[in-house]
Amino acid sequence: MEKTEHFPLSLMPMRSLSLRLARSAIKMRHNARWRIDKLNPVHDLVMPLTGSGRYWIGEDEFTLEPGEAMLIPAYVRFRGRHDCGDMEYTGVAQHFMLDLFGRGDVISQMKLARKARFPDWEAMEPLVRHYRESTSRANTTLSQHHAFMVLLLAHLEAAFEGWRTEDTTPESQDQLSLHIMFVASRLSSDPLGAGVEDALANVPYNPDYFRRAFRDRMGMTPKKFRELKRMEFAANRLGMGLSVKEAALELGFADPYFFSRMFKQYIGDSPSSYRLNKGAVPPPDSGDVIV
C-alpha cells in the first residue's frame, strides 16, 4: 500500500481535522528526583530536548531521548523517571484531542508505536524549542495550534503502524469517518487517476448512503471533490509553466475551453490569468488559450 493511503491524514483538508489543546504546553524541566505516575483524560505528546527519561506503559519499558517523541493515549496510565545522571531532562509536553469531521477521536483509531524518531530532527528541533519557549500560561494561540499540528502530524506519520479498522463495526460513525478519509485521500493523491468509482470500489457501504455521508462531512460529493483536486493539480502545473492547453490535455480534457470554465468554477480565476499571476509567461506561438 502506498504511503498516501497508508497514512492519509496529511492529505486531508484542514477543516476535516479539529485540534483542541487541552491546556497550554508543559515546559518540562526535571532533575534527578523527578518521578511521575498518572493517567490523563486527554492525549499527551512528549518531546524531549535534553537528557532522557525512562517510561513504563503497560508492559512496555523504554527510554525517551531528544529527537524522539512519545504519544500517551488518553486514559492510559504511565510511569516515568529521570534517566540521565546529573543532566536536566527538558522538553515540552502537550495535552490535546484530535477529531475527524468532529465525529470522534481519530487517535483512538490508530495503531501507534510507543515512541518514534522525528524523520528530520535537525529541522524539527528548532520548532520544538520555539514551541516550548513561546507557550503562554494564560492561553493557547492560533500560531501554537498551527505549530503543534506540524509536530503532531510528523510524529503520527513516524509512529503509525496501522488502523484499528477491525476493532469497530462498519456501522459505527468512527468507522464511517475513516472510510471517508481513505477515499478523500486517494482522490487527493491521484488526480490523474483514481476515478470516483475506483476509489469507492472497496467501501463497505451502500454507495448512495456513502456518497451522502461523504457530502455531509466534506461539504461536497466525491465527484465534486475529485474535480476540485484535479483543478488544484492543474493550478500547480500552470504555476510550473505549462500552457493552458498542455494542462488541459494532461488532465484528459480535449476541449481547453471546457477545462477553463471548470478551472474558474473551482479556483476562482481563469487558467490563463492564474498562470500570468504566478509568473508563468507563455512563450511566443505556445498555442496557449486565452480564456
Side-chain angles (χ1 to χ4, degrees), residues 1 5 165 170 175 178-180 182-183 186 195-207 210:
M1 183 180 293
E5 294 187 16
T165 53
Q175 189 74 168
L178 277 182
H179 282 283
I180 290 171
F182 295 152
V183 169
R186 184 176 183 190
V196 171
E197 297 307 318
D198 289 340
L200 299 181
N202 296 318
V203 171
Y205 298 94
N206 173 276
F210 185 81

Side-chain angles (χ1 to χ4, degrees), residues 122-149:
E122 184 176 343
M124 298 299 286
E125 181 183 15
L127 180 57
V128 175
R129 289 188 180 277
H130 175 74
Y131 187 75
R132 181 181 188 274
E133 297 308 316
S134 64
T135 188
S136 167
R137 289 175 179 256
N139 53 28
T140 57
T141 65
L142 182 61
S143 62
Q144 286 174 323
H145 275 76
H146 287 317
F148 183 71
M149 181 65 91

Side-chain angles (χ1 to χ4, degrees), residues 8-19 98-102 149 153 177 180-189 214 217-220 224-226 228-229 232:
L9 279 184
S10 58
L11 293 170
M12 294 300 293
M14 286 303 298
R15 62 182 294 271
S16 304
L17 296 171
S18 301
L19 174 65
L98 185 67
D99 293 336
L100 181 63
F101 305 118
M149 181 65 91
L153 288 178
S177 291
I180 290 171
M181 179 179 66
F182 295 152
V183 169
S185 65
R186 184 176 183 190
L187 295 174
S188 297
S189 65
F214 189 101
R217 286 163 171 75
M218 298 297 296
M220 61 185 72
K224 293 291 186 182
F225 184 77
R226 180 175 185 261
L228 170 64
K229 293 303 170 181
E232 288 177 348

